Amino acid sequence: MGALDGRRIVLGVTGGIAAYKAIEVCRRLVDAGAHVSPVMTGGAMRFVGSATFDALASEPTQVSLWDEEHPVPHTRLGQGADLVVVCPATARLLADYRMGRSGDLLTATLMATRAPVVVCPAMHTEMWEQPAVQENVVVLAERGVTIVGPDHGRLAGGDVGAGRLADPVDVIAAIDSILGGGGSSAGGDMAGLEVLVTAGGTREPICPVRYVGNRSSGKQGHAIAVAAAMRGAKVRCVTTQPETAPDRLGIEVVGVETAAEMATAVLDNFGTADMVLMAAAVADFRPVVVAGSKLKKADGAPEIKMEPTTDILAELGHNRSAGQVLVGFAAETADLRQNATSKLESKGIDMIVANDVSAPGVGFGHDTNAVLLIDRGGESSEVPLADKHQVAAAVLDAALNCLHNARDTGTVGGTGEGVTG
Ligand code: CTP
């Protein structure tokens, strides 16, 4: 039984353009077995209708303090809730909640509950950055409210910046974590495991201004970190994209830039890891010399001599202990299966996650991915184009399988030798 099964959740929706994403949150909560009571503000009703929530949720949507048969609907909802989530939360909601105003059913419900509250702010960057808004968020957090997001990304009207509603998957993850007691007490199928995930593309400096890099956004690695934490694992995420990394659900984010820094961070934390998923795109070569000052055009085209970096995964593959599972990733543009299989073998790992980054919607920078999973025994399966969070779930399912096999048989993956214990 999941942490959300049978739990009574009030889903508050306020009037922001992101209100449509609350529909996805509602559906996921219901799918996870929660009893969902939607409460919409008048503003929310201008963006999305209540009919969709009515169809998806466990109870009809409520909007007003006055239109229910129950004489005190705000106390009924607030007192009966196991958790209240406001998604999206506007600047007005944050201010009202902070000040204790209860002018509508949603704020009155927030006043009337002792249940944990999750608030997911979403607004334009200028609004989000207002000192008043920031102060309200800080005060609410100090009072024990869980603030999820906002993320950085595309906003209404084409602007890009901070203020985008957190991904529905992350909202569910936060709720799940709170209701399950968080971490290993959540009782997920990865409880008690220590997982090390790498994400993003490394940057190898040429001079203080320029670097050699690649197109990896870190999204797939970050999605794996979230998925593992949601399943109860203790997660450390070594990433070149710490500003977009999930620093919640107890995930420890370690920011790095170069392949050498990533190697140090991974090798330092490898000893206690049960599972390592190397989703990062690590540079194979770096400039031998890093110029101390900016290279100038007038000095002519630079000749940059490169030297190999440490192959972190291969290093792990040759130095692992019994029962540790290593998962590599292969971003290819041709001969996917063949290239992936040879990497699996040469690096001495248990499983490889291969994708054809030349296919539409696959890999670098996209929110979606399509992968081929191959394990050491030659078993393979395909995950067709799907959200990176869904791909993360499939990757973890397969990695857990490898872990159970390794521990059942007492086999070290890389060498195939039998060990005891
Ligand atoms: N990797 C690593 N250290 C490196 C390079 C790669 O740990 N210096 C890991 C990546 O994180 C990934 C896997 O190895 O999980 C495969 O990376 P990839 O660059 O595709 O493999 P290479 O062996 O470098 O092969 P290619 O010639 O295709 O670049």
Side-chain angles (χ1 to χ4, degrees):
M1 192 173 91
L4 296 175
D5 209 30
R7 309 306 286 273
R8 303 185 74 87
I9 295 179
V10 174
L11 171 62
V13 186
T14 66
I17 191 80
Y20 74 94
K21 293 189 189 165
I23 293 167
E24 173 76 3
V25 171
C26 182
R27 187 188 63 77
R28 285 179 182 264
L29 287 171
V30 171
D31 284 354
H35 180 100
V36 180
S37 308
V39 175
M40 296 175 72
T41 62
M45 295 286 285
R46 289 176 175 267
F47 287 94
V48 285
S50 58
T52 315
F53 289 100
D54 288 345
L56 290 173
S58 323
E59 283 197 21
T61 306
Q62 295 194 50
V63 180
S64 163
L65 274 164
W66 310 110
D67 61 7
E68 205 197 326
E69 286 169 13
H70 196 283
V72 274
H74 62 292
T75 52
R76 180 186 73 82
L77 286 168
Q79 287 172 344
D82 290 312
L83 183 141
V84 181
V85 53
V86 185
C87 175
T90 56
R92 182 194 65 78
L93 182 283
L94 297 173
D96 282 353
Y97 186 25
R98 185 241 171 124
M99 294 307 291
R101 293 196 196 99
S102 54
D104 59 17
L105 180 58
L106 178 56
T107 46
T109 300
L110 287 166
M111 291 300 113
T113 193
R114 291 202 177 109
V117 175
V118 175
V119 165
C120 314
M123 62 200 76
H124 261 79
T125 309
E126 292 83 351
M127 293 178 77
W128 172 246
E129 289 176 350
Q130 279 297 323
V133 173
Q134 288 297 308
E135 193 182 295
N136 290 337
V137 170
V138 169
V139 170
L140 290 173
E142 281 170 359
R143 290 178 190 159
V145 174
T146 301
I147 311 291
V148 180
D151 287 350
H152 191 279
R154 201 155 56 83
L155 303 166
D159 296 343
V160 175
R164 187 174 143 118
L165 183 69
D167 191 293
V169 171
D170 291 346
V171 178
I172 303 296
I175 295 171
D176 186 88
S177 168
I178 291 167
L179 291 179
S184 55
S185 61
D189 61 355
M190 297 185 76
L193 294 180
E194 205 174 304
V195 172
L196 182 57
V197 186
T198 64
T202 60
R203 294 175 172 187
E204 309 304 323
I206 298 169
C207 71
V209 175
R210 302 181 183 86
Y211 60 84
V212 180
N214 62 67
R215 295 180 189 278
S216 172
S217 62
K219 286 180 182 174
Q220 186 62 77
H222 294 170
I224 290 171
V226 169
M230 265 186 78
R231 290 164 76 156
K234 179 169 179 285
V235 178
R236 188 173 277 123
C237 180
V238 178
T239 176
T240 64
Q241 308 287 331
E243 57 291 337
T244 55
D247 60 346
R248 53 190 174 275
L249 302 169
I251 297 170
E252 185 190 327
V253 174
V254 182
V256 294
E257 193 171 312
T258 62
E261 287 169 9
M262 183 165 280
T264 303
V266 169
L267 293 168
D268 279 356
N269 292 297
F270 174 54
T272 52
D274 297 286
M275 195 183 275
V276 182
L277 300 112
M278 282 287 305
V282 187
D284 291 324
F285 299 97
R286 64 168 169 243
V288 175
V289 177
V290 180
S293 56
K294 186 184 173 190
L295 298 180
K296 304 300 288 179
K297 187 162 63 181
D299 296 332
E303 279 191 14
I304 301 169
K305 193 161 182 294
M306 308 283 275
E307 65 185 2
T309 59
T310 304
D311 188 326
I312 307 168
L313 194 52
E315 189 86 10
L316 300 182
H318 298 124
N319 292 298
R320 65 157 108 199
S321 316
Q324 281 185 307
V325 162
L326 300 178
V327 179
F329 288 69
E332 307 290 345
T333 54
D335 304 326
L336 188 64
R337 184 177 285 270
Q338 194 187 320
N339 282 328
T341 305
S342 72
K343 281 177 193 176
L344 175 76
E345 286 162 5
S346 67
K347 293 181 195 249
I349 58 178
D350 302 282
M351 187 177 105
I352 192 131
V353 181
N355 59 0
D356 178 352
V357 291
S358 63
V362 174
F364 296 149
H366 297 290
D367 290 330
T368 49
N369 209 352
V371 298
L372 170 67
L373 309 176
I374 310 174
D375 71 18
R376 300 182 63 239
E379 292 286 314
S380 69
S381 61
E382 283 182 35
V383 183
L385 195 67
D387 185 278
K388 281 185 171 167
H389 290 282
Q390 283 166 275
V391 174
V395 168
L396 289 178
D397 285 345
L400 261 184
N401 235 348
C402 292
L403 186 86
H404 294 145
N405 287 341
R407 295 195 173 174
D408 285 350
T409 57
T411 302
V412 180
T415 57
E417 77 233 60
V419 295
T420 52

